[in-house]
Amino acid sequence: MLQKAAPEFTTDWFQISRSVWESLIPRRKPARILEIGSYEGASACFVVQKLANEQQIEIHCIDTWEGSVETKERDMGAVERRFDMNMAIVTEAATHEVKLTKHKGRSDLVLSRLLAEGYAGYFDLVYVDGSHQAPDVLCDAVLGFRLCRTGGVMVFDDYLWRDPSDPAKNVMRTPKPAIDAFTNIYSDKIRFFSAALYQVYLEKLSD
């Protein structure tokens, strides 16, 4: 018997938060997922493998595949090809239909376009893991909130991440101040999930 192909990843970043997702994803069963920052597709593959054998899902993945501070030494063309290959493997293996939409571009432009196309309040799960620069994270948070449905979940990655190439340790080059600003401003519209601080998990209570 031929062995089925499995997704391949060159980094293990997602493993840090995998244990929380192992509980969260099957419990919430999101059918419409928006991912901001996809890289090789580790988290998207996880969601497909966890859910698509029980239900039809729709997943939108946004990335420039142009690299960032963390990936500046990487061949981003190879990273994008690995994303395409990994997603093809898991979607073809799924029992139920997986509607995958790949958005290659800046998240602010893609998220704004999705809002203009009528996706406000559409997604059950919004995962924010794009640029780690505070202004970009805040933009992704605000637009992602608009796209998340009431009762849906938002997850922010790398809450305590710092830019290793920045000797001045400029906090504006980290996600934390943006996530803090967003959660403070929207505090009466969200509820936090208890989880390790590597990621921040919250439920949208109202618009």
Side-chain angles (χ1 to χ4, degrees):
M1 180 183 294
L2 292 176
Q3 186 174 1
K4 291 184 178 179
E8 296 181 358
F9 309 105
T10 62
T11 66
D12 61 355
W13 295 327
F14 182 66
Q15 296 304 317
I16 299 173
S17 51
R18 187 182 182 95
S19 61
V20 180
W21 286 59
E22 287 278 6
S23 171
L24 176 70
I25 297 302
R27 189 172 75 248
R28 304 292 301 205
K29 290 183 169 51
R32 298 181 296 272
I33 299 103
L34 174 62
E35 178 176 74
I36 305 167
S38 293
Y39 199 61
E40 295 177 327
S43 52
C45 284
F46 176 88
V47 170
V48 171
Q49 291 173 318
K50 277 291 178 186
L51 295 175
N53 288 330
E54 300 180 8
Q55 65 186 52
Q56 178 179 330
I57 66 170
E58 177 181 349
I59 183 166
H60 292 247
C61 296
I62 305 172
D63 206 303
T64 62
W65 284 282
E66 293 178 354
S68 62
V69 170
E70 305 103 295
T71 61
K72 60 184 177 182
E73 305 298 329
R74 307 290 176 92
D75 178 349
M76 292 306 297
V79 169
E80 183 178 6
R81 289 190 294 274
R82 192 168 292 108
F83 168 86
D84 292 335
M85 177 189 70
N86 288 337
M87 294 307 296
I89 289 170
V90 297
T91 56
E92 289 170 9
T95 303
H96 294 271
E97 180 185 3
V98 178
K99 183 180 179 182
L100 168 67
T101 303
K102 174 185 173 184
H103 302 271
K104 186 173 181 178
R106 287 175 52 96
S107 60
D108 56 346
L109 300 180
V110 175
L111 296 171
S112 297
R113 186 175 72 243
L114 287 172
L115 284 170
E117 291 174 354
Y119 283 89
Y122 183 77
F123 293 98
D124 303 308
L125 172 66
V126 176
Y127 181 36
V128 181
D129 186 25
S131 166
H132 288 4
Q133 306 298 299
D136 298 334
V137 176
L138 185 57
C139 182
D140 289 345
V142 172
L143 294 175
F145 183 86
R146 294 285 307 280
L147 290 160
C148 186
R149 70 170 178 84
T150 299
V153 174
M154 294 187 70
V155 180
F156 294 88
D157 194 35
D158 293 317
Y159 178 62
L160 298 178
W161 179 88
R162 285 194 173 275
D163 181 354
S165 68
D166 177 21
K169 301 186 184 306
N170 182 351
V171 295
M172 291 300 105
R173 294 175 65 174
T174 70
K176 185 178 185 300
I179 297 171
D180 289 344
F182 170 77
T183 55
N184 283 327
I185 293 168
Y186 286 79
S187 60
D188 61 341
K189 301 176 183 292
I190 60 174
R191 177 178 68 86
F192 288 97
F193 292 101
S194 177
L197 270 182
Y198 187 78
Q199 292 189 326
V200 173
Y201 300 82
L202 57 87
E203 179 180 10
K204 177 177 176 178
L205 302 178
S206 65
D207 285 316

